[in-house]
Amino acid sequence: MFEPLAYCFYWLGLTIGMDAFPSARDFSHLWHQAPAVAKKGSVLALIRLPLAGVLVILNYARVIWVVLDYGITVGILGPLAIFRALAR
C-alpha cells in the first residue's frame, strides 16, 4: 500500500539525521580534551577516548557520504525499529 505521508516522514527523518551528525569542531574538542581527562582516571573519559577516535575517522569519511548513512540509520531505521518494537 502506497503511503505518501510515510515518505514525507522518511525524508524528514533523513534530513534531521544528516544534520544531527556532529561537526568537525565537536570532534576536535572531544579529541583534544579526552586524553587529559583520561589521565586523571575518569571512567567516562576512558570510554570517551575510543569514541573520539571513531568520530575523528568518521569525520574524514564525510567525503564518502557517511553522513547519509548516519542519517538513514538515525532518522529512518532507528524510528522504524522503535515503532515495530512498540507495536508488538
Side-chain angles (χ1 to χ4, degrees), residues 51-86:
L51 176 66
V54 170
L55 291 176
V56 167
I57 291 168
L58 288 176
N59 187 32
Y60 288 116
R62 283 180 184 249
V63 178
I64 56 170
W65 288 52
V66 169
V67 177
L68 178 63
D69 296 335
Y70 184 81
I72 290 170
T73 303
V74 171
I76 296 174
L77 298 179
L80 283 175
I82 291 170
F83 288 135
R84 286 186 183 148
L86 293 174

Side-chain angles (χ1 to χ4, degrees), residues 18-56:
M18 287 178 71
D19 287 335
F21 195 76
S23 68
R25 177 183 273 174
D26 297 332
F27 293 135
S28 67
H29 287 299
L30 184 64
W31 184 250
H32 291 298
Q33 291 178 357
V37 178
K39 287 180 183 177
K40 294 179 182 177
S42 173
V43 176
L44 186 59
L46 293 174
I47 295 170
R48 187 170 73 170
L49 192 58
L51 176 66
V54 170
L55 291 176
V56 167

